Amino acid sequence: MFETIPGIAISAAVLLLLVAFFRLRGDAPAESVSDGGYVPARAGLTTHGKPTGLTRWLTTVDHKDIGLLYILFGTGAALWGATDAMMIRTELIVPETAIWGLETYNAVFTTHGFTMLFFFVTPVFTGIANYVLPMLLGADDLAFPRVNAIAFWLLPPSLLLVRGGLITEVAGKVLAVLPVPVGALLALEPVGVGWTMYTPLSTATANQQIDVALLGLHLSGIATTMAALNFIVTIFTERADDIGWNKLDIFSWNILVMSGLVIFAFPLLGSALVLLLLDRNFGTTFFAVEGGGPILWQHLFWFFGHPEVYILVLPAFGLTSFMLPKLVGRRLFGFRFIVYSTIAIGVLSFGVWAHHMFTTGMDPRMRASFMAISLAIAIPSAIKEFNWIATMWNGRLRLTAPLLCILGIMSTFVIGGITGVFLAAVPVDFVLHDTHYVVGHFHLIVVGVIPLSMVAASYYWFPIITGRMFNRRLAKAQALLLAVGTVFTFVPLLILGYLGMPRRYGVYPAEFTTLNQAASLGAFVLALSVVLWLVNMVQSARVGPVVEDADVWNLKETGQFTREWQWFEEQLEDRQAELSRGTDGSATSD
Amino acid sequence: MNRISSAVAGGIAGTAVMTLMLLLLEVETRSAMDVFYVIALFVGTPEDPATGFALFVGAGIVAWPLLFIALEPYLPRGPDPAARGVVFAAVLWVPFVILGRGDIAGPLLIFYVAYTLFAHVAYGFTLGAVYGRLFDQLRQRGYR
């Protein structure tokens, strides 16, 4: 009976009732102002001597502005990729294909991987490094500010190419409402071959969107490489006089090693993508059986692909090692060994690629050597974990939101890391390969370590960037939900893998239903925490309490008031001086 | 620009955001939800999505913003108009999700409910934020 009454009439009636209720209540509250009457707080946002409005953001070469652009772009991509993830978990609530059909399911997990790896994690970490690295180094800006800007502006078009067909499809959908033929606009189908693009599937699938996506990935690789070169040159040449290699902070060390990995890994991805494009369009046979064979693609791809996962996770380790000592009021335990472990991970990461290929029938002696190196990489990883624990020993733990995030990282990294040790063992990998165990293992790290470190950094540096404070209670709840949601979502996948449920399948036998529903419930918890984070960031940046004292985290008492906070303190003093002069009207009514 | 124009400007921004989000949903789900059919159903023209969409845009740009400025001082979560806009849009979402769901059922319904709520919240937030910014700016300069 609901369907017979126009919705608009019902909503109007409901709203009229509400109006009547509030009108008759008689205790009408005062009118509102948008900002609670605060002065504008724009400590971190440079405003002098630059164009304003849209022109500023389109033409900027300031590292802080570009950093914010990177972070906003990466956050947008993350929300988009998270929508894919929610679709995957919604589809898997029931065993049969209840919702979208298998082709859409394939497309969704493919674009989820592309978006999250290339357009969420790398840009956001590049953005954070853009913002704070020059401050930590005592530099005015990155070494090549214009290269920095170009590197950023290559990313939006590459995202559109990779997720492509979308613009045309959106246009098609808009026009489809009208009586216009739109078939041509809907021709490009989303890519559904998996983010690893294994041949022969990726060469044999006819969809033209694959070519567009390969070009987009190549473009994003160029952007990433440019940013990495910029970081390396900056760290080598732009350090202040009193920062020798022994005084370089741990976050810059991690960005340096990460950038080194990018320089070796991403050009190789670019070359492999070009070969794949040639195979698809120009009749070459690099990956055909009569040419190099499908295994060649896997070797090339994973020689990029495995260092890539360390490119993703090293900045997260860096942020954790950087923030943890400050939040517990102690020095980082074994600073030098954390640096060595970072470099060791960087070197070893190029020697482990074939552990993705144990089941392809390669020579057992090769398998054994790759197994040995894969097991060995657990040692530097464990050094970090143990040193973090030792850093907390006898520290003064204040359970602030960023510290809660870091405790979450340390917990999930134990599960995610140790499950990786099992996978590195050839016999275990034979059993668990291509099951949900693998998905659970790497998601415990790529969800339980990487976004948590970003969220921790977003809280830790929020006052510097916006001049305001976030809502601490909401932030604590959000951090807990994110950490708990990660375990809740991905530990069931580990069990599913042990029980033998393969990955990349949109349908599954009914006996796996309960565990899948548990994982989906966890995914909804994660979605809730993402929404809470978004609300906190947006609302606090608009109307959060203005920060008056630069020592937000009580860093002065332990002598850890680092350069970026000193810079912030100067900004605040400038603002105070401007306000106390009182003649400049723009300070109170902008 | 006065109070009403500010609200309509907020409505244009909010409707743009919401339309974009619904389009994204439509594209991502390969039309499994058929959001335009849902909207047409909601505004009472199930067989004519073009008219339904026009009504949707009209309501989002004119009707709801006007109602919002009438109700705004009485809504909870003040004084920030963006927060009040969220409350306002959440109320609008209730009939939308009940009347518009059509044949959607099962797990898809969970996704539909969550996503449309999110889209409505984004609409209300944008409406209130843009309205508050434009209107307060004008008021501070002495226009009333």
Side-chain angles (χ1 to χ4, degrees):
Chain A
M1 85 103 175
F2 276 130
E3 283 77 7
T4 57
I5 308 167
I8 219 153
I10 293 214
S11 2
V14 169
L15 284 159
L16 278 176
L17 277 176
L18 273 172
V19 175
F21 172 75
F22 283 115
R23 285 282 177 193
L24 293 175
R25 209 173 50 161
D27 51 345
E31 275 191 10
S32 71
V33 285
S34 67
D35 199 20
Y38 290 123
V39 290
R42 39 159 203 248
L45 303 170
T46 322
T47 50
H48 296 292
K50 284 204 249 179
T52 51
L54 198 60
T55 322
R56 168 189 168 194
W57 293 102
L58 291 176
T59 60
T60 182
V61 290
D62 181 331
H63 70 96
K64 294 193 290 297
D65 288 352
I66 294 176
L68 286 178
L69 286 174
Y70 264 117
I71 292 169
L72 290 176
F73 170 83
T75 308
L79 292 174
W80 197 353
T83 312
D84 293 333
M86 286 301 116
M87 286 177 66
I88 294 171
R89 287 307 337 164
T90 310
E91 172 71 55
L92 293 179
I93 288 177
V94 288
E96 66 276 12
T97 70
I99 309 181
W100 288 301
L102 299 179
E103 288 212 357
T104 303
Y105 183 80
N106 291 346
V108 161
F109 72 68
T110 304
T111 49
H112 171 69
F114 283 152
T115 311
M116 289 309 202
L117 295 176
F118 295 99
F119 300 104
F120 161 41
V121 178
T122 314
V124 169
F125 280 138
T126 310
I128 295 173
N130 246 293
Y131 204 99
V132 299
L133 208 63
M135 294 188 196
L136 293 172
L137 298 173
D140 294 334
D141 204 319
L142 290 178
F144 308 116
R146 285 172 185 76
V147 171
N148 196 24
I150 295 167
F152 170 75
W153 285 108
L154 288 181
L155 283 177
S158 42
L159 175 63
L160 293 179
L161 286 172
V162 169
R163 302 238 22 177
L166 184 92
I167 305 253
T168 56
E169 204 165 322
V170 167
K173 292 285 171 194
V174 172
L175 292 177
V177 174
L178 310 167
V180 178
V182 291
L185 287 170
L186 304 176
L188 292 178
E189 296 276 319
V191 180
V193 297
W195 87 279
T196 53
M197 299 169 279
Y198 278 166
T199 53
L201 181 62
S202 57
T203 44
T205 309
N207 181 8
Q208 294 299 311
Q209 174 55 28
I210 295 177
D211 298 314
V212 181
L214 293 178
L215 289 171
L217 288 176
H218 198 357
L219 196 62
S220 89
I222 293 169
T224 308
T225 313
M226 285 162 79
L229 285 166
N230 213 345
F231 286 137
I232 290 178
V233 177
T234 306
I235 293 171
F236 266 86
T237 63
E238 301 283 312
R239 277 173 291 137
D241 293 336
D242 58 335
I243 303 182
W245 287 111
N246 56 338
K247 292 261 179 66
L248 188 63
D249 65 277
I250 194 71
F251 180 58
S252 303
W253 266 114
N254 277 268
I255 291 294
L256 180 66
V257 175
M258 178 274 267
S259 304
L261 294 187
V262 167
I263 282 181
F264 286 101
F266 268 86
L268 186 116
L269 172 72
S271 314
L273 289 173
V274 170
L275 298 184
L276 190 55
L277 268 174
L278 291 173
D279 264 16
R280 282 181 57 81
N281 294 294
F282 296 97
T284 54
T285 55
F286 294 109
F287 306 118
V289 177
E290 61 271 26
I295 297 293
L296 176 62
W297 170 261
Q298 297 199 22
H299 277 298
L300 292 176
F301 181 82
W302 286 115
F303 189 81
F304 147 80
H306 206 85
E308 162 73 357
V309 306
Y310 291 100
I311 291 167
L312 301 176
V313 85
L314 281 180
F317 290 159
L319 286 172
T320 307
S321 306
F322 185 85
M323 287 185 283
L324 180 63
K326 297 172 176 64
L327 298 168
V328 301
R330 289 206 57 202
R331 280 173 53 211
L332 183 60
F333 180 88
F335 181 95
R336 201 188 295 175
F337 290 91
I338 295 207
V339 174
Y340 291 155
S341 71
T342 305
I343 298 171
I345 288 177
V347 174
L348 288 174
S349 70
F350 282 99
V352 298
W353 80 87
H355 72 214
H356 295 267
M357 303 156 62
F358 284 156
T359 56
T360 56
M362 56 196 254
D363 190 309
R365 288 163 297 185
M366 287 259 286
R367 274 187 223 140
S369 60
F370 278 104
M371 168 173 149
I373 302 173
S374 301
L375 291 172
I377 210 164
I379 295 167
S381 310
I383 286 173
K384 287 179 186 294
E385 179 78 28
F386 288 129
N387 282 8
W388 292 333
I389 295 170
T391 304
M392 293 201 298
W393 190 266
N394 274 345
R396 195 160 63 84
L397 273 67
R398 290 158 292 164
L399 292 177
T400 53
L403 185 62
L404 286 177
C405 291
I406 288 175
L407 296 178
I409 290 171
M410 290 166 62
S411 322
T412 46
F413 185 50
V414 171
I415 321 174
I418 289 178
T419 47
V421 177
F422 286 106
L423 276 182
V426 174
V428 182
D429 185 73
F430 267 58
V431 179
L432 295 175
H433 185 75
D434 261 345
T435 65
H436 265 283
Y437 182 92
V438 181
V439 182
H441 150 66
F442 72 76
H443 274 86
L444 278 162
I445 292 174
V446 293
V447 179
V449 174
I450 292 168
L452 268 167
S453 78
M454 291 170 180
V455 168
S458 75
Y459 290 137
Y460 182 70
W461 282 313
F462 191 81
I464 292 190
I465 294 175
T466 63
R468 293 180 186 274
M469 197 61 198
F470 56 87
N471 182 333
R472 290 167 188 254
R473 201 164 53 153
L474 188 59
K476 280 186 201 176
Q478 186 270 331
L480 281 175
L481 279 182
L482 189 52
V484 172
T486 306
V487 176
F488 214 116
T489 309
F490 299 112
V491 169
L493 297 193
L494 294 176
I495 305 168
L496 279 170
Y498 274 126
L499 297 176
M501 176 170 163
R503 63 193 283 205
R504 298 195 183 99
Y505 278 63
V507 290
Y508 55 85
E511 73 242 40
F512 298 132
T513 311
T514 314
L515 281 166
N516 267 302
Q517 286 174 347
S520 295
L521 195 64
F524 295 136
V525 173
L526 285 178
L528 178 65
S529 90
V530 170
V531 171
L532 291 183
W533 176 80
L534 203 61
V535 167
N536 201 351
M537 288 294 114
V538 174
Q539 272 308 68
S540 303
R542 288 178 70 241
V543 296
V546 176
V547 175
E548 304 285 349
D549 177 12
D551 195 9
V552 178
W553 304 108
N554 296 321
L555 300 174
K556 283 182 178 168
E557 65 185 27
T558 51
Q560 304 196 78
F561 197 68
T562 42
R563 281 168 190 267
E564 82 277 23
W565 293 102
Q566 293 167 18
W567 175 86
F568 181 53
E569 194 167 43
E570 284 167 26
Q571 296 286 309
L572 289 186
E573 281 163 7
D574 289 351
R575 197 176 73 191
Q576 282 311 116
E578 199 178 319
L579 281 177
S580 60
R581 275 202 303 279
T583 50
D584 184 5
S586 70
T588 51
S589 66
D590 187 279
Chain B
M1 228 169 31
N2 54 20
R3 186 191 191 97
I4 289 175
S5 321
S6 308
V8 170
I12 292 172
T15 308
V17 169
M18 189 170 175
T19 310
L20 191 71
M21 289 184 69
L22 293 179
L23 271 173
L24 189 66
L25 176 74
E26 184 76 352
V27 170
E28 285 251 341
T29 57
R30 321 296 295 154
S31 304
M33 305 234 187
D34 234 338
V35 171
F36 291 110
Y37 168 75
V38 165
I39 288 167
L41 193 67
F42 175 65
V43 298
T45 59
E47 61 295 315
D48 187 3
T51 313
F53 190 70
L55 278 172
F56 164 80
V57 171
I61 289 179
V62 182
W64 300 142
L66 292 184
L67 195 62
F68 173 67
I69 53 173
L71 282 176
E72 200 240 318
Y74 306 96
L75 290 171
R77 309 300 301 170
D80 181 11
R84 283 173 163 166
V86 169
V87 176
F88 176 75
V91 175
L92 289 180
W93 167 75
V94 175
F96 183 91
V97 79
I98 295 172
L99 299 168
R101 78 179 173 99
D103 308 327
I104 299 171
L108 189 58
L109 189 60
I110 303 170
F111 198 72
Y112 168 77
V113 166
Y115 200 96
T116 52
L117 177 62
F118 198 53
H120 275 79
V121 164
Y123 169 76
F125 185 87
T126 317
L127 166 67
V130 172
Y131 161 74
R133 185 173 171 84
L134 291 176
F135 186 55
D136 277 335
Q137 235 172 25
L138 294 167
R139 191 165 54 184
Q140 279 170 3
R141 290 180 196 153
Y143 300 99
R144 189 59 220 236

